[in-house]
Amino acid sequence: MTAKQTDKENNEKTKRKELKALGFIIVVLFPILSVFAIGGYGLIIWLMQVFGGASPH
Amino acid sequence: MKRRNFLKGILATSFTLVSTASVLTPLSALAKVGAKNRDDWLTTGSHFGAFKIKRKNGVIDQVKPFDLDKYPTDMINGIKGLVYNPSRIRYPMVRLDFLLKGHKSDTSQRGDFRFVRVTWDQALTLFKQSLDEVQTNYGPSGLHAGQTGWRATGQLHSSTSHMQRAVGMHGNFVKKIGDYSTGAGQTILPYVLGSTEVYAQGTSWPLILENAKTIVLWANDPYKNLQVGWNAETHESFEYLAQLKEKVKQGKIRVISIDPVASKTQDYLGCEKIYVNPQTDVALMLAIAYELYTNNLHDKDFIDGYSLGFDRFVPYLTGEEDGIAKTVEWAEKITAVPADVIKELAKTMVAGRTQLLMGWCIQRQQHGEQPYWMAAVLATMIGQIGLPGGGISYGHHYSSIGVPSSGAAAPGAFPRNVDEGQKPIFDNNDFKGASSTIPVARWIDAILAPGKVIDANGAKVTYPDIKMMIFSGNNPWNHHQDRNRMKKAFHKLECVVSIDINWTATCRFSDIVLPACTTLERNDIDIYGSYANRGLLAMQKMVEPLFDSLSDYEIFTRFARILGKEKEYTRDMNEFDWLTKLYNDCKKANEGKFAMPEFEQFWQDGYVHFGEGKPWTRHAAFREDPEINPLGTPSGMIEIHSRKIERYQYDDCKGHPTWMEKSERSHGGPGSEKHPIWMQSCHPDKRLHSQMCESKEYRQSYSVQDREPVYLNPEDARHRGIKNGDVVRVFNDRGQLLAGAVVSKNYPKGVIRIQEGAWYGPVGDDGGVTGGAEIGALCSYGDPNTLTQDIGSSKLAQACSAYTCLVDYEKFTGKLPQVTSFSGPLEIGA
Amino acid sequence: MKWLINLWQTLNKPAKYLTLGSISLTAFVMGIIFWGGFNTALQATNTEEFCISCHSMESKPYQELQKTVHWSNHSGVRATCPDCHVPHSWGRKIARKMEASSDVWGWFFQTVNTSEKFESKRLEMATREWGRFDRDDSLACKNCHNYDSMKWEDMSKLAQKQMKRAAEKDQSCVDCHKGIAHTLPDMGTARAPELIAEVGTGPSKFNDGQTYFTALTKPLFFSAKGDVEAGTLNVATKVNVLESKGSRVKVAIKGWRKKIGAGRVIYFDFGINMLTAQLSKEAVKTEGVIKGFEEKEDDMTGLKWQRVETELWTDAEYLITEQQPLWDYARDTFRTSCSVCHTQPDEAHFDANTWPGMFQGMIAFVNMDQDTQALVQKYLQQHSSTFVKKEH
């Protein structure tokens, strides 16, 4: 196995990792985070309404 | 103005008497074919009962009682004839001379029955122009649109509500207070028992039947009068009368009927009878009170705890006040009730639970306040007010009073008042110093003597100068007294408008006559069971309005259109919108208490049943705690003596009940030398006041030689050479009428009965219709109010006094005139 | 766990292989797809089809809606479920969606899947919905209905008066208009709801020394805490609030009483049978509760009257600052209810002591609850010939 070959393998590995990470982020993580963020925002408004009375629109 | 051109056409050709409404026209031809072609049974209701109707070829074919009406009245047989009869008003019509000369017409022609057919637009425009003229020239005191009566049932098309709302949008007008049936009673009783009593729900029959040992029916004929009701009647009271009959038979309850005549109820119950001379009931009551007092039988604890003024009454009773002790012997001379019978009666009343049930007729006489007041005093002395089966009631013969109420909310009605914030076209409230409200039975007096000041219920009433009258679903030419005096008064009126279904005598004496359709020609809702409020009834349209007639809703919507106020009038809703609203409002009020389906379902079913009510005792709360539940009297207690009335200083209604001689009284009283016979004009057995008299076939089931029956004492009749079936002329100085003799032992010497509600049909000396306008004209059918007196009961109530009336009678030997009451007008055409 | 560390290591370093262009492009495209998808999904849950796909929504509220003016009317505009039940502003809409998670829960566990279950929960659900409308100042209504666009002239005077009063305060619509699109829940024994809807329940804080009027007949108590009743305070009665404590206020009541029986009934004035308060026997017997002053004999009845004052506690509700709204409501009720059978008499046709007798004798066909009856009677007395001099 040459160093070049190892490099190439490493590159392949990194590429797979990066692709996987990207896929994970855009397909799983960020949508979940977004939904949680939006939901949390809604929850905060709701709770403010319930306890505080007034709320932002 | 269109009238002028219109008249030219008429005047261009000679007047021809076209015809009276043809009596021969077959019934089926009279009816336009109904819109719906359903031949199943549909429900509706009336004062006479709730019922079901089956149609055939668009014509009403069969009428049968509503399923829940176990005791339907015989009058159900007259329903069909209310719709199909020769008296129907077919078109809007205007009195000939009024059409020619308007407000300057020859008013002495009023009643000559000559009318001209016009279109609805012409009639309503003329109506509006007349109102304009009166409001402009005289202001609101010139218009009396407050004389209202029994109408036909139905909450939406209630004729008086429509008329007053529509006329109220044009301008203000004079109104009435009180009514003809109970005028004296409803005025005196608030002073004594703190409520009008006559229209209040009474102790439930089951409690009376369970607790009473004795029931006194005083001038009371419930078996006759419970046949009709203010709403759709379902006759539940008759179940209790049947139970009472059984208890009388078993000797469990004693029923004593005090009455000059043998009533229908007496016959039915087979009860005890005490004859009393007409109009002398107060003397009899006083003697009973005297007997109780002198024998120490009165309930002193009750008198002390619940009443005021007994100490002011006793001196009168004992004679300390006026020198006459009201002993049984004293009373025997006046009342013809034997002294020992009075004594026994007094003992009976305090021997056990005694329920007094008063009829209304004894307050429909001069000093009519007194018997009601004295009866309350008697009940106080007996001391059982507020106990089940004891005390006193003034309403158990009326509209299912005494049947436990369901407790449900009843539907509202089409609004009678102009909506909040709206102003009439003539926004004038200046009655020129005259009163805007006058006692109901004094209107003829007012027309004859404008500006006159009379006493009424503690106030002064100044008569307005009335120039125009409007009647809707109301027939004062039945219920007011003294026809010839009415004619004189009507000469002074510039314009009279009548809206009705049939040609009543009031229409005959009107200038503009508008045809309304009957209840069977429109959709409506009503409660059934009257005071019991047993349920809600769909009043479904059976046939289209006959001829040119319209529903009350439609008539006044068109009128409002002429006023430019149609939208304000209807609130932009049609007949079904209103029915739905009235139903839904009622549904809302009953939410959580009484289940009501959606409107569509209700309309399909024909009714909603609210179920049974809970028995209840009148005045029980007062008896339990008079401090927290005081009566509505000034003191909160029963007022045996009223300082308030005493302060009025009336000579004909003093501070305590008093026996007073009448202006006319039979059996040795004033006026009996000249006219020895007392005429009783009670509520009819086979009509509701004047409603259904025009139902031809049904009328013929009881009329005698086409005339209203006059019930005669056999001895009196024989003395005058009169047999059953003869035509009799009944007369006094006020008028004369023809009636058909029915000789019966039920009527004592010196007493005759002609039931009110018999249609006035005056004829001239030649027997002609036009001569009916003359003062003194003979009534061809037998309206008793041709003979009655138009006087107020007293300065307190100023109520109708129809029962203070003496007459005489003879066999009629002249040429018998045709009855003119039911044939409609002489139609004058081009 | 290892993959997470790996992932973190990958994410923590600059991309070696992926170009900045491809990353940002992917992120951008995916952002669009995500946001579009999110909104489409949100939108889908905001359609009537979605709402009524649930059996319990379709069978009850939807059917009820179809009988109302919000379903069909002459202008042909109709309201769908989300028009009223989903707020239009984004934040509140999201909040509403969070709130709706309980609906999903309910659907999953079938809490209202039968008519009986639905009806038993109807009040709870409606109350929640009214609460939300209140929080939103009925914005859902006001998207279509605007106080500023209302044509006052076309309204009845009563409607005008009530609407204008509401408009001034920019009042929430459901304060008055409940049960207009769906069946109103059975709210138990709420007293005189129409009266209260018009005159209100009164302020939540009371000023000591100020005058208030009772909007309903109210129980009186001996103390600020105890539940021993000392009597009842009649409707439309003027009282002076002396102090507030917890949920009660102490009020001063003035009037006259008849010296008969125990003297438990306090009337408006000497010789006038207008009910102010009724005290219990205990209250009258308790030393110091009633302060008696001068006595006079009423000429009309011969009864002795005594001027009295009392101070008792009552619940701090249904005490309003103005009397006129009570009279307005009573007048309208009198004119409507008492003209069903006959023309209603003028208020000034009878005097204050005659009205109870006339009114009590005529109420057989009138539908009024106890409070309204008491109010109308008092209105008639207050506007009778005793107080209003008028020709009649």
Side-chain angles (χ1 to χ4, degrees):
Chain A
M1 196 191 268
T2 59
K4 209 170 187 181
Q5 239 179 343
T6 317
D7 246 23
K8 205 179 169 187
E9 269 179 19
N10 268 347
N11 275 349
E12 275 300 308
K13 223 174 164 183
T14 313
K15 188 178 161 188
R16 258 206 320 277
K17 269 187 182 172
E18 283 182 354
L19 270 172
K20 255 192 194 161
L22 183 71
F24 177 76
I25 284 171
I26 60 175
V27 178
V28 182
L29 186 64
F30 281 13
I32 288 176
L33 283 177
S34 309
V35 168
F36 270 83
I38 295 168
Y41 174 63
L43 196 69
I44 287 164
I45 295 175
W46 178 26
L47 292 176
M48 277 169 75
Q49 282 176 329
V50 170
F51 297 107
S55 71
H57 283 239
Chain B
M1 186 168 125
K2 279 186 183 148
R3 193 184 350 152
R4 192 159 293 277
N5 293 332
F6 177 66
L7 285 176
K8 274 185 196 156
I10 296 171
L11 293 169
T13 47
S14 57
F15 294 137
T16 45
L17 295 184
V18 174
S19 75
T20 60
S22 172
V23 182
L24 302 171
T25 318
L27 291 183
S28 54
L30 283 172
K32 289 178 196 163
V33 176
K36 291 184 211 156
N37 206 14
R38 288 166 54 195
D39 283 344
D40 42 355
W41 292 94
L42 294 179
T43 57
T44 187
S46 70
H47 296 300
F48 310 96
F51 44 82
K52 289 187 150 186
I53 282 185
K54 200 174 168 68
R55 297 166 301 177
K56 205 170 164 184
N57 303 324
V59 178
I60 294 161
D61 184 41
Q62 295 172 63
V63 183
K64 72 172 184 187
F66 184 50
D67 311 336
L68 300 167
D69 187 354
K70 299 284 182 299
Y71 296 87
T73 157
D74 181 47
M75 279 179 259
I76 202 157
N77 297 314
I79 295 292
K80 222 163 110 178
L82 268 179
V83 181
Y84 305 120
N85 74 70
S87 309
R88 276 300 290 259
I89 305 170
R90 301 171 176 210
Y91 324 106
M93 292 188 101
V94 177
R95 184 170 65 84
L96 175 63
D97 204 52
F98 187 82
L99 196 57
L100 295 171
K101 304 198 191 100
H103 283 232
K104 306 230 158 28
S105 76
D106 175 3
T107 55
S108 69
Q109 288 181 21
R110 220 177 251 132
D112 72 3
F113 231 177
R114 292 185 297 166
F115 279 83
V116 181
R117 177 181 173 176
V118 296
T119 66
W120 269 107
D121 267 358
Q122 287 167 326
L124 291 174
T125 306
L126 209 53
F127 183 5
K128 192 228 169 212
Q129 285 165 348
S130 283
L131 285 172
D132 288 347
E133 200 158 334
V134 167
Q135 291 286 0
T136 308
N137 296 341
Y138 309 105
S141 60
L143 175 66
H144 190 347
Q147 200 71 16
T148 54
W150 265 76
R151 65 186 184 126
T153 57
Q155 296 297 85
L156 170 56
H157 288 280
S158 186
S159 54
T160 44
S161 295
H162 280 282
M163 185 272 278
Q164 292 195 330
R165 179 172 168 89
V167 172
M169 288 184 158
H170 181 275
N172 298 313
F173 49 83
V174 175
K175 295 180 182 119
K176 66 155 185 178
I177 186 85
D179 59 49
Y180 281 79
S181 299
T182 66
Q186 63 172 269
T187 309
I188 185 69
L189 289 175
Y191 290 95
V192 181
L193 290 173
S195 137
T196 58
E197 295 292 316
V198 288
Y199 297 130
Q201 179 59 294
T203 302
S204 303
W205 276 111
L207 293 173
I208 295 177
L209 293 171
E210 198 177 307
N211 295 290
K213 210 175 139 198
T214 307
I215 294 176
V216 178
L217 291 171
W218 205 304
N220 195 351
D221 198 355
Y223 198 68
K224 163 168 73 73
N225 292 326
L226 285 167
Q227 295 179 93
V228 293
W230 179 251
N231 299 84
E233 188 54 68
T234 40
H235 306 107
E236 287 184 60
S237 309
F238 286 88
E239 170 62 31
Y240 300 114
L241 288 179
Q243 291 176 19
L244 180 59
K245 183 188 166 94
E246 195 54 33
K247 295 218 171 198
V248 170
K249 210 163 116 192
Q250 295 165 354
K252 286 182 180 155
I253 294 180
R254 252 182 101 179
V255 176
I256 304 168
S257 168
I258 301 170
D259 209 312
V261 307
S263 66
K264 200 178 175 185
T265 310
Q266 287 180 7
D267 287 349
Y268 174 74
L269 293 176
C271 63
E272 298 169 45
K273 308 162 191 186
I274 295 177
Y275 165 84
V276 59
N277 276 341
Q279 304 189 80
T280 64
D281 306 82
V282 175
L284 178 56
M285 291 174 194
L286 281 166
I288 297 169
Y290 185 89
E291 197 59 22
L292 293 177
Y293 180 71
T294 49
N295 290 306
N296 210 15
L297 294 172
H298 56 301
D299 187 335
K300 287 164 286 290
D301 289 341
F302 187 78
I303 292 171
D304 283 350
Y306 296 89
S307 76
L308 278 185
F310 188 63
D311 53 329
R312 297 285 310 275
F313 172 68
V314 168
Y316 172 72
L317 196 62
T318 56
E320 205 181 304
E321 187 182 305
D322 61 350
I324 301 165
K326 310 303 177 294
T327 61
V328 288
E329 292 77 18
W330 166 81
E332 179 177 341
K333 283 195 210 100
I334 299 169
T335 64
V337 184
D340 54 338
V341 172
I342 304 177
K343 286 185 177 177
E344 202 272 330
L345 190 55
K347 283 199 192 78
T348 307
M349 283 180 174
V350 290
R353 202 58 68 75
T354 300
Q355 175 78 53
L356 302 180
L357 300 178
M358 310 298 294
W360 287 349
C361 47
I362 48 170
Q363 52 86 55
R364 218 151 45 226
Q365 55 173 255
Q366 197 183 17
H367 314 131
E369 297 86 354
Q370 305 305 318
Y372 266 31
W373 194 351
M374 190 54 218
V377 172
L378 207 52
T380 309
M381 291 174 74
I382 297 167
Q384 298 173 1
I385 289 174
L387 295 177
I392 188 161
S393 157
Y394 298 88
H396 273 76
H397 58 283
Y398 175 66
S399 284
S400 290
I401 282 179
V403 178
S405 302
S406 67
F414 185 78
R416 181 181 298 244
N417 300 301
V418 177
D419 286 349
E420 190 73 26
Q422 289 180 20
K423 293 216 179 316
I425 296 171
F426 285 84
D427 189 18
N428 175 6
N429 242 321
D430 179 13
F431 283 78
K432 298 178 180 165
S435 304
S436 58
T437 303
I438 59 174
V440 63
R442 301 322 306 141
W443 62 293
I444 290 294
D445 214 35
I447 297 170
L448 287 167
K452 184 172 147 189
V453 179
I454 62 160
D455 285 302
N457 205 11
K460 297 280 181 197
V461 167
T462 307
Y463 284 153
D465 194 359
I466 301 164
K467 298 292 182 186
M468 177 169 177
M469 300 281 318
I470 306 170
F471 306 106
S472 183
N474 180 35
N475 184 13
W477 281 78
N478 166 56
H479 58 241
H480 194 74
Q481 285 60 57
D482 197 345
R483 293 286 167 267
N484 289 313
R485 193 164 190 257
M486 290 179 77
K487 279 185 192 170
K488 277 179 218 157
F490 267 52
H491 289 172
K492 297 188 73 181
L493 294 173
E494 289 182 7
C495 179
V496 183
V497 180
S498 260
I499 302 105
D500 216 312
I501 54 172
N502 293 321
W503 276 100
T504 63
T506 303
C507 295
R508 176 188 299 224
F509 284 85
S510 297
D511 301 315
I512 302 171
V513 176
L514 305 175
C517 65
T518 67
T519 47
L520 303 186
E521 296 154 61
R522 53 172 167 73
N523 294 302
D524 215 323
I525 58 169
D526 194 14
I527 59 171
Y528 62 86
S530 284
Y531 276 67
N533 196 3
R534 194 60 73 229
L536 207 55
L537 193 71
M539 296 172 67
Q540 293 163 339
K541 187 192 222 177
M542 304 295 162
V543 289
E544 288 301 312
L546 298 196
F547 308 108
D548 268 7
S549 69
L550 297 173
S551 70
D552 294 275
Y553 185 87
E554 180 63 23
I555 292 172
F556 284 102
T557 300
R558 290 190 187 190
F559 181 73
R561 196 177 301 151
I562 290 178
L563 299 183
K565 286 173 175 274
E566 183 182 355
K567 220 175 137 185
E568 290 94 322
Y569 187 75
T570 61
R571 294 185 189 163
D572 222 5
M573 296 196 281
N574 64 27
E575 189 188 49
F576 260 92
D577 292 340
W578 272 102
L579 285 179
T580 313
K581 177 190 155 50
L582 293 178
Y583 181 85
N584 284 339
D585 287 354
C586 178
K587 184 172 187 303
K588 199 173 157 198
N590 281 320
E591 210 151 64
K593 285 171 274 184
F594 295 89
M596 289 170 68
E598 294 301 326
F599 177 76
E600 292 75 16
Q601 185 65 44
F602 155 73
W603 199 252
Q604 193 70 35
D605 298 345
Y607 69 97
V608 185
H609 196 65
F610 291 144
E612 306 302 311
K614 278 199 202 82
W616 175 84
T617 304
R618 178 136 196 94
H619 294 132
F622 167 66
R623 190 180 184 100
E624 194 192 318
D625 192 337
E627 207 186 329
I628 294 296
N629 308 304
L631 299 179
T633 56
S635 61
M637 321 264 261
I638 299 167
E639 299 209 0
I640 293 174
H641 177 278
S642 165
R643 287 200 191 191
K644 198 166 172 183
I645 293 179
E646 187 184 34
R647 294 291 145 86
Y648 299 157
Q649 296 188 311
Y650 295 155
D651 53 355
D652 50 8
C653 190
K654 297 179 178 130
H656 55 69
T658 315
W659 158 249
M660 281 173 279
E661 189 54 274
K662 314 294 167 208
S663 67
E664 293 180 5
R665 189 170 66 79
S666 57
H667 302 86
S672 61
E673 316 79 32
K674 191 174 179 194
H675 298 114
I677 309 290
W678 178 66
M679 183 183 71
Q680 186 190 52
S681 52
C682 61
H683 186 273
D685 183 29
K686 292 179 185 293
R687 293 186 292 263
L688 162 66
H689 297 304
S690 65
Q691 295 189 33
M692 201 173 271
C693 193
E694 69 271 45
S695 184
K696 194 178 169 198
E697 280 165 38
Y698 188 64
R699 182 179 70 248
Q700 285 167 342
S701 72
Y702 60 82
S703 62
V704 178
Q705 289 202 44
D706 275 348
R707 322 282 144 170
E708 177 70 13
V710 53
Y711 298 92
L712 307 172
N713 167 263
E715 203 179 317
D716 284 345
R718 194 169 53 243
H719 184 67
R720 289 166 174 77
I722 294 165
K723 303 186 307 294
N724 224 1
D726 283 348
V727 172
V728 173
R729 189 180 80 99
V730 187
F731 59 92
N732 59 18
D733 292 342
R734 290 181 289 269
Q736 51 172 345
L737 62 83
L738 297 183
V742 177
V743 179
S744 161
K745 282 187 306 214
N746 285 346
Y747 299 86
K749 254 178 86 66
V751 172
I752 64 169
R753 168 184 287 188
I754 305 178
Q755 294 170 350
E756 56 98 7
W759 279 28
Y760 186 53
V763 288
D765 292 340
D766 58 351
V769 181
T770 44
E774 304 290 326
I775 285 165
L778 177 71
C779 174
S780 58
Y781 180 70
D783 170 13
N785 278 323
T786 312
L787 306 169
T788 49
Q789 264 196 106
D790 184 13
I791 54 166
S793 58
S794 79
K795 295 188 176 83
L796 191 83
Q798 290 289 5
C800 143
S801 309
Y803 271 51
T804 301
C805 175
L806 294 188
V807 300
D808 203 350
Y809 61 93
E810 62 184 21
K811 187 169 172 172
F812 183 69
T813 50
K815 186 171 173 280
L816 199 58
Q818 286 274 322
V819 172
T820 67
S821 310
F822 309 105
S823 51
L826 300 168
E827 189 179 334
I828 311 293
Chain C
M1 215 56 214
K2 201 181 166 203
W3 69 271
L4 197 67
I5 296 166
N6 276 340
L7 182 67
W8 177 248
Q9 281 169 353
T10 312
L11 288 175
N12 212 19
K13 285 188 294 213
K16 237 162 141 188
Y17 174 76
L18 294 172
T19 61
L20 188 61
S22 63
I23 291 173
S24 52
L25 187 70
T26 316
F28 185 72
V29 171
M30 286 316 289
I32 292 173
I33 292 172
F34 170 77
W35 193 240
F38 179 82
N39 269 323
T40 308
L42 192 69
Q43 212 53 51
T45 65
N46 273 356
T47 58
E48 197 158 79
E49 290 73 36
F50 178 80
C51 302
I52 62 170
S53 65
C54 218
H55 170 73
S56 46
M57 282 294 146
E58 199 277 332
S59 63
K60 286 270 176 183
Y62 188 61
Q63 296 300 327
E64 289 159 15
L65 173 68
Q66 294 180 21
K67 284 166 199 147
T68 72
V69 70
H70 281 99
W71 177 269
S72 91
N73 49 61
H74 40 79
S75 63
V77 182
R78 68 151 288 223
T80 63
C81 313
D83 286 335
C84 304
H85 294 287
V86 181
H88 292 219
S89 68
W90 194 80
R92 288 191 182 189
K93 190 186 288 184
I94 298 303
R96 177 71 186 90
K97 288 295 161 193
M98 291 315 293
E99 205 180 332
S101 50
S102 77
D103 298 5
V104 178
W105 179 278
W107 167 76
F108 194 78
F109 290 97
Q110 307 203 325
T111 41
V112 289
N113 64 335
T114 66
S115 178
E116 291 72 34
K117 285 194 206 166
F118 192 95
E119 290 306 333
S120 69
K121 282 213 145 216
R122 187 190 277 279
L123 181 60
E124 184 193 324
M125 294 188 290
T127 308
R128 198 187 299 145
E129 222 35 29
W130 292 331
R132 207 178 43 72
F133 269 80
D134 259 348
R135 288 197 311 263
D136 285 356
D137 300 323
S138 293
L139 260 183
C141 310
K142 289 173 183 170
N143 282 321
C144 296
H145 304 274
N146 194 331
Y147 281 126
D148 294 334
S149 307
M150 284 178 188
K151 203 170 168 192
W152 306 111
E153 313 86 80
D154 282 5
M155 293 184 191
S156 75
K157 197 177 172 191
L158 187 69
Q160 267 185 49
K161 205 165 52 193
Q162 296 179 353
M163 264 319 207
K164 281 185 173 163
R165 204 182 288 156
E168 272 169 29
K169 294 188 278 180
D170 197 22
Q171 199 175 352
S172 169
C173 308
V174 289
D175 277 6
C176 304
H177 302 274
K178 288 189 177 77
I180 51 162
H182 309 293
T183 307
L184 195 67
D186 179 4
M187 292 160 80
T189 50
R191 288 165 59 196
E194 286 171 339
L195 165 64
I196 294 307
E198 183 166 341
V199 303
T201 53
S204 47
K205 283 204 179 77
F206 295 89
N207 299 329
D208 294 352
Q210 199 181 315
T211 299
Y212 295 89
F213 301 90
T214 47
L216 291 175
T217 297
K218 292 165 58 64
L220 289 165
F221 301 95
F222 282 104
S223 64
K225 281 254 171 64
D227 49 10
V228 188
E229 288 195 20
T232 55
L233 189 55
N234 196 34
V235 67
T237 299
K238 180 171 138 180
V239 293
N240 206 3
V241 167
L242 302 171
E243 61 170 297
S244 306
K245 203 182 268 177
S247 62
R248 296 251 173 97
V249 288
K250 190 179 192 183
V251 293
I253 304 159
K254 293 176 181 179
W256 288 74
R257 66 172 170 179
K258 294 173 186 171
K259 294 220 77 181
I260 48 170
R264 288 148 60 201
V265 184
I266 302 177
Y267 293 98
F268 173 72
D269 204 351
F270 168 69
I272 292 173
N273 295 335
M274 266 171 69
L275 192 59
T276 292
Q278 294 174 328
L279 304 185
S280 64
K281 283 179 181 149
E282 292 69 40
V284 177
K285 272 188 279 178
T286 307
E287 193 70 32
V289 168
I290 287 199
K291 273 179 256 164
F293 300 93
E294 71 271 23
E295 292 183 9
K296 266 201 275 184
E297 191 187 293
D298 173 31
D299 207 28
M300 204 53 95
T301 55
L303 296 177
K304 269 224 164 52
W305 288 63
Q306 181 188 37
R307 187 165 75 79
V308 291
E309 286 179 12
T310 181
E311 291 174 5
L312 287 163
W313 292 84
T314 188
D315 291 327
E317 56 180 3
Y318 304 118
L319 287 169
I320 58 176
T321 50
E322 281 175 285
Q323 204 172 22
Q324 195 53 42
L326 289 164
W327 296 154
D328 289 346
Y329 180 81
R331 178 173 183 272
D332 192 56
T333 307
F334 170 63
R335 282 169 50 97
T336 310
S337 299
C338 298
S339 62
V340 169
C341 303
H342 53 78
T343 316
Q344 79 284 356
D346 281 344
E347 290 86 343
H349 194 87
F350 300 109
D351 65 30
N353 286 359
T354 304
W355 262 120
M358 297 311 297
F359 185 64
Q360 292 300 325
M362 299 259 184
I363 48 176
F365 285 117
V366 176
N367 304 316
M368 290 186 203
D369 53 71
Q370 296 285 316
D371 289 288
T372 309
Q373 237 178 65
L375 173 65
V376 172
Q377 179 171 319
K378 202 164 199 176
Y379 160 79
L380 292 169
Q381 292 183 292
Q382 184 72 61
H383 297 79
S384 68
S385 59
T386 305
F387 301 101
V388 181
K389 289 293 165 220
K390 190 184 157 228
E391 279 282 332
H392 66 88

